[in-house]
Amino acid sequence: MLTKGIHKILILLIPVFVVLRAQGQDNMKNNTSTGPLQLVFPAEAEWNVLYEGKEVNFHLQAKGGKSDSLRYSVASGLVKDMKFDSTGHFVWTPGFDIADRINTTKSFPVVFEGQNSAGETASREIVFKVNHVNRPPQVDELQPFYVQYKTQNVYKIDMGAVRDQDGDPIVFVPILEEMPEGMKLSAAGEITWEPSSQQFAILKKGPRYMEFYVEDQPSKARTKGRLKLDVTQMDLAPDFTIIPQNTVVRSAENNRINLRFTLSDPNGEEDITTFNFISENKNVPQSALVKNTPTSYEFIWEPGYEFVKDPFDTLSFNIIFYVLDKAQNKKERTIKFVIKNTVDESLRDTYVYNLYRGSLVNAWGLIEQMTEKEGQLKRAYTRAKKGKRSRSLLNASLGATTGLAPVIATKDQQTRGYITTIGGTTVATVGTLEATEVIGKSVNGLLDRFNYVMQKKNELQNKGDVFAREWGQKSARRQPDFIRKLDEFKALMNLSGLVALELDANWENKKEATDVAIKKTFKDFVPYTKDEN
């Protein structure tokens, strides 16, 4: 059975030997053809166009010649990392440092040569063109970003841990959805972040990570980087903010200064023990610092008019505000105060108000006196009209008495003489008095004086109403025109024509000059209020 099996195997192998022999004869015919010796390279198009980092591998072949025994070599152009043996096997992986982003292609001419045992040689130059291949940047593990509470934390990405093997410029690109709110990443790799109280509390529970891109230029190849965020393990000092955030506070005397403070501590608000201030000027009271809550304070201070002593215009000094925690960690800020010497406006306002009211009091009194004089003239005018009629009757009666004397006393001559004497003397005396207008004054003169008083009274009333309305407000009386207008109003009450009014210089007003009485005469008069004073 074994013999039969061997026979079957030999029968199957005979066709294989026949085919192989035929192929060998064909190769011998090709190699030993009568044509010249030629080198044969791969037939693919652009097989010699290579890329950095990509291997090229082929077997050099030959055709023609008088012998089938060949030996291959490289006549010139063989560079480092090129491998070529005498059997024609060529292997080369171009390095990434051959071309770059500026010179993107570099050529390498290589002369291949073949020689057979018959002494025939053939050579051919092949130019390998190597194209640049861009590699993305590389990012190593970064040091953690330890942040502090209520602090503008700054982290610079270590450029030793980020590199580009091609030497390309690199920029950092933030991944917004991966970054905490408020964090900023610059193109140069600088991270700034001031975590909020809630963000800091989250970090205290455990570290977080944020991702970003490192991108080379100009190819825009990206590699993702990762950064660990964690809270610092140091016992940090407390901190506080000031509103408004000014390092210099300028204010005038008698002007309220109000600063608000908000305290914070990375280790918890309960770690805060003290918040106070130290002033270079001892006239600033400690009571100016008011505590609202354990983390909220106010500085409320109003320097009086005597704070800056004459002849100085301003007074400058520093106040140091500080906060302490249980570990005596301290944070302090210095604020410079500049207080300006200021005139007490309330005193001047009171002074000019008294001028305003005093002038109206004088006008009010003069109007009252004119009103009284107007009544007197009115009554005198009425009597004068009645007196003229009485004089006529008296003259007639006295004349009749003189004429009737002889009739009444016909027999008694002495009585008749008395009657005549009395009647004549009376007529003479009445005539003399009538000539001097002692009995019953002139009606025309009284009427002129009455009209003049009314005219001056109305004029003073109108001017007083305008003056009371125009200068009733404190802001208006601060204008420089007030004194000029005041003098003009006073001049109206000092007219030389007032002498003709026959006003008594010793006249005294029986009424009190109250604000109600003045306002009754001058409707637009504005008394001083408590707030205004």
Side-chain angles (χ1 to χ4, degrees):
M1 294 179 64
L2 182 61
T3 304
K4 291 180 180 179
I6 293 173
H7 286 298
K8 291 179 180 180
I9 293 172
L10 291 176
I11 293 171
L12 292 174
L13 289 177
I14 289 173
V16 175
F17 290 143
V18 172
V19 172
L20 291 176
R21 183 175 180 181
Q23 290 180 349
Q25 291 176 352
D26 291 338
N27 290 334
M28 288 296 293
K29 290 179 181 179
N30 290 335
N31 292 336
T32 58
S33 64
T34 58
L37 181 64
Q38 295 180 5
L39 299 179
V40 179
F41 291 90
E44 293 86 356
E46 296 185 350
W47 68 272
N48 59 325
V49 178
L50 313 179
Y51 292 90
E52 293 177 329
K54 186 176 181 181
E55 181 185 75
V56 56
N57 189 335
F58 67 91
H59 283 273
L60 184 59
Q61 295 181 357
K63 66 180 180 177
K66 299 178 180 180
S67 174
D68 58 353
S69 178
L70 293 173
R71 182 178 181 85
Y72 301 98
S73 63
V74 174
S76 64
L78 193 67
V79 298
K80 181 182 179 182
D81 297 332
M82 286 184 180
K83 296 179 181 179
F84 184 72
D85 57 22
S86 58
T87 63
H89 186 206
F90 180 86
V91 178
W92 182 34
T93 303
F96 286 96
D97 56 347
I98 293 178
D100 53 37
R101 59 188 176 87
I102 299 175
N103 300 315
T104 57
T105 303
K106 193 172 183 179
S107 300
F108 293 87
V110 179
V111 178
F112 293 93
E113 189 177 79
Q115 185 177 8
N116 58 19
S117 58
E120 294 177 310
T121 62
S123 63
R124 184 178 172 183
E125 181 184 66
I126 300 297
V127 179
F128 292 102
K129 295 180 180 180
V130 181
N131 293 322
H132 173 64
V133 175
N134 181 67
R135 290 171 293 176
Q138 293 182 349
V139 183
D140 296 337
E141 184 177 357
L142 300 175
Q143 293 291 333
F145 183 12
Y146 294 105
V147 298
Q148 302 179 13
Y149 178 59
K150 285 292 184 180
T151 302
Q152 186 75 6
N153 299 277
V154 180
Y155 179 90
K156 185 70 176 178
I157 297 178
D158 183 13
M159 298 307 294
V162 179
R163 59 191 177 275
D164 188 89
Q165 295 177 318
D166 300 320
D168 298 335
I170 59 174
V171 296
F172 295 88
V173 181
I175 305 176
L176 298 180
E177 57 271 17
E178 294 289 336
M179 293 175 60
E181 184 178 359
M183 178 180 287
K184 296 180 180 179
L185 172 62
S186 69
E190 184 176 89
I191 302 174
T192 56
W193 186 36
E194 182 176 347
S196 64
S197 57
Q198 184 177 2
Q199 290 173 330
F200 193 81
I202 294 175
L203 281 182
K204 289 179 68 175
K205 297 178 182 179
R208 296 291 187 271
Y209 292 87
M210 60 87 65
E211 294 182 336
F212 56 91
Y213 287 119
V214 183
E215 183 180 88
D216 65 0
Q217 304 297 320
S219 300
K220 308 293 184 182
R222 289 181 172 183
T223 300
K224 185 176 288 188
R226 191 182 189 207
L227 179 63
K228 180 181 179 181
L229 307 176
D230 203 352
V231 298
T232 181
Q233 301 302 317
M234 298 185 299
D235 186 8
L236 300 174
D239 198 4
F240 61 92
T241 57
I242 305 175
I243 301 174
Q245 296 182 354
N246 298 327
T247 58
V248 179
V249 175
R250 301 182 185 273
S251 179
E253 289 179 326
N254 203 43
N255 186 35
R256 178 171 295 179
I257 299 173
N258 183 216
L259 303 177
R260 297 181 296 279
F261 302 88
T262 302
L263 282 58
S264 60
D265 193 300
N267 305 311
E269 296 176 352
E270 64 279 358
D271 196 41
I272 301 174
T273 58
T274 305
F275 181 71
N276 212 330
F277 70 89
I278 300 174
S279 175
E280 294 178 349
N281 190 300
K282 302 305 178 183
N283 292 326
V284 180
Q286 291 292 326
S287 59
L289 190 63
V290 180
K291 180 180 180 180
N292 297 324
T293 66
T295 58
S296 176
Y297 284 77
E298 280 189 283
F299 179 79
I300 305 174
W301 178 49
E302 185 174 326
Y305 284 109
E306 301 299 325
F307 187 78
V308 182
K309 305 295 183 181
D310 292 332
F312 298 106
D313 293 332
T314 58
L315 179 62
S316 302
F317 58 93
N318 293 327
I319 294 182
I320 301 175
F321 295 92
Y322 65 91
V323 59
L324 293 172
D325 63 5
K326 295 179 181 178
Q328 297 302 304
N329 292 317
K330 184 178 182 180
K331 183 72 173 184
E332 62 181 33
R333 286 185 174 86
T334 301
I335 298 181
K336 182 179 181 180
F337 288 78
V338 181
I339 308 301
K340 182 181 179 181
N341 195 351
T342 309
V343 177
D344 191 350
E345 292 291 343
S346 62
L347 297 178
R348 176 166 177 78
D349 289 339
T350 303
Y351 170 73
V352 295
Y353 170 76
N354 290 332
L355 294 178
Y356 165 75
R357 187 180 187 277
S359 61
L360 291 177
V361 168
N362 293 337
W364 170 78
L366 187 55
I367 290 176
E368 290 291 321
Q369 190 176 6
M370 286 183 178
T371 303
E372 185 176 318
K373 185 66 175 178
E374 184 181 355
Q376 294 175 359
L377 291 174
K378 188 174 183 180
R379 290 190 295 271
Y381 175 73
T382 303
R383 287 196 304 269
K385 291 178 67 177
K386 293 180 180 180
K388 183 176 182 180
R389 185 167 56 252
S390 299
R391 286 198 303 275
S392 300
L393 295 174
L394 181 60
N395 288 336
S397 62
L398 291 178
T401 302
T402 305
L404 291 176
V407 179
I408 296 172
T410 56
K411 296 179 179 181
D412 190 349
Q413 294 294 327
Q414 186 176 359
T415 303
R416 179 181 178 181
Y418 287 146
I419 294 174
T420 304
T421 301
I422 293 173
T425 304
T426 301
V427 172
T429 304
V430 169
T432 303
L433 292 176
E434 183 178 4
T436 58
E437 296 185 355
V438 173
I439 297 178
K441 292 185 178 181
S442 173
V443 176
N444 294 331
L446 288 173
L447 184 60
D448 291 340
R449 284 192 293 274
F450 178 77
N451 291 333
Y452 184 70
V453 170
M454 288 186 60
Q455 177 186 352
K456 293 303 177 183
K457 176 185 172 184
N458 292 335
E459 182 181 0
L460 184 58
Q461 178 70 54
N462 293 333
K463 295 290 185 182
D465 289 337
V466 173
F467 183 81
R469 178 173 60 255
E470 184 177 1
W471 307 105
Q473 300 299 324
K474 178 175 64 176
S475 58
R477 293 191 294 270
R478 288 179 177 179
Q479 299 178 9
D481 288 345
F482 171 71
I483 299 300
R484 181 175 59 84
K485 293 291 185 179
L486 179 66
D487 293 339
E488 293 177 1
F489 186 56
K490 286 182 177 180
L492 180 65
M493 294 181 285
N494 295 328
L495 292 175
S496 59
L498 293 178
V499 178
L501 298 175
E502 298 180 1
L503 300 179
D504 186 4
N506 296 322
W507 180 84
E508 292 184 2
N509 196 346
K510 298 180 179 60
K511 299 179 181 179
E512 184 180 357
T514 62
D515 291 342
V516 176
I518 298 173
K519 192 171 182 63
K520 187 176 181 180
T521 301
F522 303 108
K523 305 298 183 183
D524 295 321
F525 168 69
V526 181
Y528 233 11
T529 62
K530 291 184 179 180
D531 293 338
E532 190 177 18
N533 198 12

